[in-house]
Amino acid sequence: MFEELDMVRDLLDKQLVDADGTKMGRIDGIVLALDGDKQPRIDHLELGFAVLARRLHPRAEQWLLALRRRWSVRKSARQIVPVSKVMDITEEHIQLDLNALETPAFDWERWLRDHIVSKIPGSRSEQ
Amino acid sequence: MMQNIHAELLLGRRVLDVNNRVVGRIRSIHARRRGHDFFVEEYHIGPAAFLEVLGISTGRLVGLSFGEPIRIPWQKLDLSDPQRPRLRCAKEELQ
Amino acid sequence: MLRNGLVCAILLIAACGHKTPDQQLHEAADAAASWSATLQMTAETWLANSVPRLFVLATVDAANKAFDQTGKDVAQSQGRQELRAAIKGQLDIAEAAAGDLKKAIENNDRNAVAGCARRFAAVHSVLQQLEDKRK
Amino acid sequence: MKKAMTLALGILTAVGGFFDIGNIATCVQAGARFRYQLIWSMVLATIVVILLIEMSGRFACATKKALPDAIREHFGFGFWLVPFLILTVIHILVLGAEIGGICFALHLLTGYPLQVFALPVAVLLWVFLWRATFSAIENSTSVLGLITLCFVVAAIWLHPPTHEVLQGALPSMPATNPENYWFIAVSIIGAVIAPFLFYFYSSGAVEDNWDRSYIPVNRAVAVIGMGFGSVISIAAIIVAAVVLAPRGIRVDDYHQAALMLIQVFPYWGYELFAVSMAIACVGAAIEVALSMAYTFAQTFGWNWGEDLDPAEDARFSLVYTLALLGASLFMLVGVDPLKLTLLTMAISAAVLPFVAIPMLLLMNDRKLLRDAANGVFSNVATAAIVVLTIVLAVVSIPLMVVGGS
C-alpha cells in the first residue's frame, strides 16, 4: 500500500478490481474535499461515462446526460466509491472492498448479458 | 465552508501568482495516506512535473533537462475557484 | 506548423504528379495491355486445365469492366489524335476477343480459346510498342 | 519445456498476424509493377515492426499490462480518446479488407460472386471467437498459416536473379511513374506495421501470463516471427516479379494475382493461392477482431479475455461481434476488395505516429519498467521510428490521391 502517492500516476485512470479480482472499470474522477483552510483530502472516487465526458468538455457531459434521460441502463450517471473502500493500491490495479456485481459499474454488463449474450447459444461453456 | 472539487479537472489548469504572473500548469497532485484518508500534500507544476508523471527522468530521454517540477504546498494554492487556481504568494517565494 | 507542412506536402506531390494528357493516354494503354495479357494468360492456363471455367468467366467480366473504363478515359482525353485512335482500335479488338473467349469457354471450344489467346497476345504487343515509343 | 512451446506458438502467431491481405495486395502489386525494386520497403518495415513488437511484448512482460491499458493509464483518457477513435475506424477497415480477402478466396474456389460469402464468413469467424479459447485460436490459425510457405517454395523454385533481388533490398529511384512507386512503398509499410499487431501481441502476452522471465522468449518471437512473415512477403514479391511482371500484368484486380502460382504448381497453383489467401486472412481477421475487443475492454476497464465465456465478459464479446458484422458490410455492398485493402493500408500508414510516439514514452518509464526500460540503442531506434512514422503520416494521404491507381 503506497504511503505517498502521485494521484495522477497512481490513481487516475487506473484499473479497478473488486474484492475477488473482477475488473470493474477505471477511476474516471477523483473528488477532493476542501474545508476552509484545512488540508484537502480525497473524499471519493467517481466512475462512469458522464465523468469521462466532463473531462473532455462540459458540453459533452450535458449531451451525454440528455442521452441518458431518454434511454439508459445505468441507474446513476456517476458511481461514487468512498475512498475508505480502497483496500490496496498496486502498480497493476486498485482493489476495492466491494462486490462488483452489485455495483452500478456492472449495470451494463448485467443488462447486455441477460438481454443479449445469454440468449445466444454457447455463451456459457457447459461446466 | 465545505467544497468538493474534481481533481482531474484541475489538471492542465494554469496557475497564476498574486502578481498575475503564470507559474505553470498543474500536472500532478501528491497525497499522503493517514489511516483511511489521503491528504493532499503538494501540487506539481510545469513540464518537468509532466515527465515525472510519465516516470521519465528528464535527462535521459532527449538530453534536454526540464529541471525540477515546481512544487506548491497545499496551503499556498487557493482553489476557491477551481477554474482559476491562484498562488497565495509570489512565484519567487516558492523555490 | 503541422498544417502548413501538410499543405506543402500535398502541393509538392500533386505538382510532380500532374500528368499531361499524353501521359494519361499511355497509362490507359498500359491498363488495357495489362488486362489483355491477363486474358491471354487466363486462356492459356484454362487450356492447360489449371484454372476452372468459372474463374475465366469472372476474369473476362472484370477485364470488360476495365476495358470500358479505359474506353471512356481515351474518349475524354485531349491527347494526340492518332495515339487515341491506335489505343481505341486495340481496345475494340480486345473487347471482341473477350466476348469470343466467353462464348468459347461456355462451348468448351478449345481451338477458339487458343485463337483468342493469340489475339490478346497481338493486342498486348501492339500496345507494348506504343508504350516503348514513349520512353 | 513450457517456454519452448510458447516460443513456437509465439512465432506462429506472429506469422499469422504478419502475412495478411495487406501484405498479399501490396507485395503482389510491388512485384508485378516494379519487380524487385520495392523489396527495401519490406525490409525497412520488418526492422521497424520487429523493434515495436519486441518493445510491446517486453512492456507486457514487465508490467502485465497490454498497450491500450497502459496508454490510457499513462497519458490519461483525454489523450487516448483521439487515437482510440481513429484506430477503431482503421480496425474496422482492416477487418473489412480481411473479410474481403476471405470472400474473394471463396469466390475463386467456388465461382460464386463475392457478396454471397460476406455474412457467412463473418458468422464463421464469430463462432470461432465465441466458442474457442485464446490458445485454441492461437494454435489453429498459426498451424494453418504454414500453408503460406507455398510462396517461399515458389520463389525458390523460380530461382530469381539473386543479384537483382539483393539490389532491390537497397532503396532506389523508380524509372517510371514514381507516384505509384512511392504509394506502394508506403502501403507496404502501412500493411506491415499494422496497429492491431501491437495491441493483439501485448494482450496475448498478458493472456498467456508472460512475466519478466519471458523477455528473452519475447525477443526471439519478435525477431523470428516477424522475420519469418517478412520472408513470405518477399517471396510473394519475387513470384509476382518473375511470373506477372514479364507478361505486363499490373494487378489492378485480385483475379490477376490468382494466376501467380500456376507457373510453379500447374495443377494446384490456383487452389493453393486461394487457400493461402483465405487462411492468411482468417488468421489476421481473428487477430484484428480480438485486438478491437481488447482495446475497448482495456480502455474502459471491463473484464476481458478470450478464455472467459462470453457470458462472463459480455461487453468484450459484443465488441468483436459488432465489429465483424460492421466490417462484413463492405463486401455486402460490393466494395472492391483490392481497392479497399490499398486504401486501408495507406490510411493505416498515416496514423502510425499514434502508435510510435506513445511507445517511445512508455518504454522510458523507468519507475515502472526498471531494467526492462529502453536502453540507449532502442531509444535512438524508436526516436528514428517516430520520425519515420511522422514522414509517412504526412506523405501517405497525398500519395494515395496522386499515385493510388
Side-chain angles (χ1 to χ4, degrees):
Chain A
M1 182 61 151
F2 286 28
E3 289 316 312
E4 160 93 30
L5 59 82
D6 170 338
M7 279 168 54
V8 172
R9 182 183 165 81
D10 303 323
L11 279 184
L12 193 59
D13 291 310
K14 264 305 228 284
Q15 173 74 57
L16 283 169
V17 292
D18 71 355
D20 52 37
T22 311
K23 293 185 174 69
M24 53 174 285
R26 288 179 178 280
I27 296 183
D28 298 324
I30 303 171
V31 173
L32 301 177
L34 270 72
D35 187 356
D37 47 17
K38 287 211 203 74
Q39 187 166 8
R41 58 173 177 72
I42 298 180
D43 184 67
H44 62 268
L45 310 173
E46 285 193 359
L47 286 80
F49 285 113
V51 186
L52 283 176
R54 183 76 179 71
R55 283 170 66 179
L56 299 177
H57 195 281
R59 222 175 301 118
E61 189 194 15
Q62 308 313 341
W63 173 75
L64 190 81
L65 291 175
L67 192 71
R68 270 180 50 77
R69 262 186 293 282
R70 264 198 308 285
W71 176 79
S72 170
V73 165
R74 264 173 95 154
K75 298 178 200 62
S76 60
R78 292 163 173 259
Q79 182 194 339
I80 311 291
V81 174
V83 74
S84 54
K85 287 287 177 193
V86 173
M87 275 164 62
D88 189 11
I89 298 178
T90 68
E91 272 171 0
E92 206 178 334
H93 52 236
I94 290 164
Q95 191 150 34
L96 300 178
D97 181 12
L98 283 173
N99 176 344
L101 295 176
E102 290 137 15
T103 63
F106 255 60
D107 293 349
W108 268 109
E109 179 79 22
R110 255 196 315 281
W111 191 84
L112 289 169
R113 184 189 57 207
D114 301 342
H115 288 80
I116 299 178
V117 173
S118 48
K119 292 196 168 41
I120 301 172
S123 64
R124 205 180 293 279
S125 52
E126 295 67 24
Q127 267 92 6
Chain B
M1 51 76 181
M2 187 59 171
Q3 186 194 4
N4 273 357
I5 61 164
H6 275 265
E8 74 279 4
L9 300 180
L10 280 180
L11 301 179
R13 288 260 186 264
R14 257 195 339 202
V15 176
L16 301 180
D17 72 357
V18 279
N19 317 328
N20 275 340
R21 273 177 310 160
V22 172
V23 181
R25 291 181 185 276
I26 299 179
R27 289 301 175 200
S28 179
I29 305 170
H30 280 243
R32 179 179 300 281
R33 197 171 75 90
R34 282 205 291 273
H36 269 305
D37 279 316
F38 291 86
F39 290 91
V40 170
E41 292 283 327
E42 28 180 60
Y43 303 89
H44 285 209
I45 314 287
F50 185 72
L51 289 176
E52 185 192 38
V53 168
L54 297 180
I56 294 168
S57 52
T58 53
R60 200 61 177 330
L61 177 63
V62 186
L64 309 156
S65 158
F66 289 89
E68 283 305 311
I70 302 162
R71 293 190 180 78
I72 302 180
W74 64 273
Q75 308 87 333
K76 293 235 174 84
L77 193 64
D78 167 12
L79 291 173
S80 44
D81 172 2
Q83 310 268 348
R84 272 167 291 284
R86 296 190 67 81
L87 194 56
R88 286 198 169 100
C89 63
K91 225 161 79 157
E92 295 68 22
E93 293 164 45
L94 271 183
Q95 262 73 22
Chain C
M1 201 287 289
L2 185 65
R3 206 165 17 76
N4 46 42
L6 203 60
V7 165
C8 82
I10 292 174
L11 289 177
L12 169 75
I13 301 281
C16 79
H18 173 65
K19 296 192 183 76
T20 63
D22 271 7
Q23 264 172 334
Q24 274 158 350
L25 265 180
H26 278 291
E27 221 145 85
D30 197 28
S34 161
W35 274 105
S36 32
T38 305
L39 290 184
Q40 176 195 343
M41 184 174 180
T42 307
E44 284 160 2
T45 44
W46 183 81
L47 288 169
N49 303 322
S50 298
V51 287
R53 211 166 59 80
L54 288 176
F55 170 73
V56 182
L57 300 177
T59 308
V60 168
D61 291 343
N64 279 333
K65 246 191 268 154
F67 287 146
D68 294 347
Q69 181 56 41
T70 312
K72 282 201 208 81
D73 296 346
V74 168
Q76 283 153 6
S77 100
Q78 294 86 23
R80 291 200 316 279
Q81 180 46 26
E82 82 285 357
L83 189 58
R84 279 170 51 201
I87 297 172
K88 191 74 183 81
Q90 294 306 318
L91 261 180
D92 297 340
I93 300 170
E95 279 177 332
D100 298 346
L101 176 60
K102 201 164 189 176
K103 278 199 283 308
I105 292 287
E106 269 143 12
N107 313 337
N108 219 326
D109 177 346
R110 298 180 69 83
N111 297 339
V113 169
C116 296
R118 279 192 296 279
R119 282 154 70 188
F120 287 125
V123 165
H124 177 69
S125 60
V126 169
L127 290 172
Q128 205 61 36
Q129 275 147 23
L130 282 176
E131 196 61 26
D132 298 342
K133 240 182 274 148
R134 177 173 70 113
K135 284 205 187 72
Chain D
M1 182 31 211
K2 187 171 183 304
K3 290 243 169 70
M5 254 278 284
T6 318
L7 182 62
L9 291 180
I11 291 169
L12 292 173
T13 317
V15 173
F18 187 107
F19 191 68
D20 70 342
I21 193 66
N23 283 83
I24 295 174
T26 51
C27 288
V28 171
Q29 262 202 353
R33 296 185 182 188
F34 300 98
R35 298 187 188 231
Y36 314 104
Q37 243 193 332
L38 274 166
I39 289 179
W40 63 269
S41 89
M42 174 55 69
V43 170
L44 170 67
T46 305
I47 293 167
V48 170
V49 85
I50 287 177
L51 287 167
L52 294 180
I53 280 279
E54 192 276 332
M55 279 189 266
S56 45
R58 181 168 16 119
F59 188 89
C61 291
T63 64
K64 295 254 187 313
K65 282 186 178 300
L67 279 183
D69 184 341
I71 293 175
R72 164 149 187 200
E73 283 190 356
H74 255 71
F75 306 103
F77 181 73
F79 172 87
W80 170 236
L81 182 64
V82 170
F84 170 68
L85 295 175
I86 290 175
L87 289 171
T88 302
V89 169
I90 301 276
H91 282 151
I92 292 274
L93 285 171
V94 173
L95 192 53
E98 303 294 350
I99 289 177
I102 303 167
C103 292
F104 191 85
L106 293 173
H107 159 68
L108 287 179
L109 292 171
T110 63
Y112 290 112
L114 227 40
Q115 287 79 344
V116 165
F117 299 107
L119 279 181
V121 163
V123 169
L124 175 82
L125 291 169
W126 173 77
V127 166
F128 205 53
L129 284 169
W130 194 258
R131 290 302 298 144
T133 62
F134 182 76
S135 40
I137 290 172
E138 211 179 3
N139 311 347
S140 47
T141 50
S142 322
V143 169
L144 290 172
L146 289 179
I147 193 163
T148 51
L149 283 176
C150 62
F151 287 100
V152 179
V153 170
I156 294 168
W157 179 276
L158 292 166
H159 46 75
T162 43
H163 168 67
E164 270 180 60
V165 170
L166 292 178
Q167 223 178 0
L170 300 173
S172 56
M173 287 306 286
T176 56
N177 61 53
E179 321 84 25
N180 190 236
Y181 175 87
W182 290 109
F183 171 68
I184 296 178
V186 166
S187 304
I188 285 178
I189 295 174
V192 171
I193 314 175
F196 79 85
L197 272 181
F198 312 112
Y199 297 137
F200 178 82
Y201 185 74
S202 57
S203 304
V206 174
E207 289 249 43
D208 286 345
N209 301 316
W210 285 12
D211 55 26
R212 277 175 184 266
S213 69
Y214 276 83
I215 288 183
V217 169
N218 165 60
R219 190 159 290 137
V221 166
V223 174
I224 302 171
M226 294 296 129
F228 204 73
S230 166
V231 162
I232 297 174
S233 307
I234 291 176
I237 298 178
I238 290 172
V239 173
V242 173
V243 174
L244 300 178
R247 288 190 170 79
I249 299 179
R250 277 184 0 162
V251 184
D252 302 308
D253 182 291
Y254 280 131
H255 287 98
Q256 296 169 311
L259 299 164
M260 66 192 274
L261 289 176
I262 293 172
Q263 185 169 322
V264 177
F265 308 103
Y267 298 104
W268 296 105
Y270 177 77
E271 288 76 10
L272 208 51
F273 178 88
V275 171
S276 305
M277 185 177 188
I279 289 172
C281 294
V282 163
I286 284 177
E287 289 195 8
V288 175
L290 268 182
S291 160
M292 286 185 75
Y294 287 137
T295 305
F296 268 80
Q298 288 163 24
T299 296
F300 299 108
W302 306 336
N303 236 349
W304 60 272
E306 244 319 275
D307 294 340
L308 297 171
D309 289 337
E312 289 164 316
D313 53 11
R315 289 169 289 189
F316 173 82
S317 315
L318 284 175
V319 168
Y320 63 67
T321 305
L322 293 176
L324 281 168
L325 288 178
S328 64
L329 297 181
F330 289 108
M331 286 309 119
L332 216 57
V333 301
V335 169
D336 173 70
L338 179 57
K339 290 199 173 38
L340 173 64
T341 309
L342 291 171
L343 169 79
T344 307
M345 293 311 129
I347 297 176
S348 185
V351 298
L352 289 181
F354 284 127
V355 177
I357 293 171
M359 191 83 83
L360 177 64
L361 296 173
L362 277 177
M363 294 314 289
N364 279 290
D365 183 337
R366 285 187 201 297
K367 252 195 318 190
L368 189 62
L369 294 171
R370 293 185 292 284
D371 54 352
N374 263 9
V376 174
F377 165 73
S378 17
N379 263 338
V380 167
T382 315
I385 291 172
V386 166
V387 169
L388 169 70
T389 56
I390 290 171
V391 167
L392 280 178
V394 170
V395 297
S396 61
I397 303 300
L399 260 182
M400 181 169 68
V401 167
V402 171
S405 64

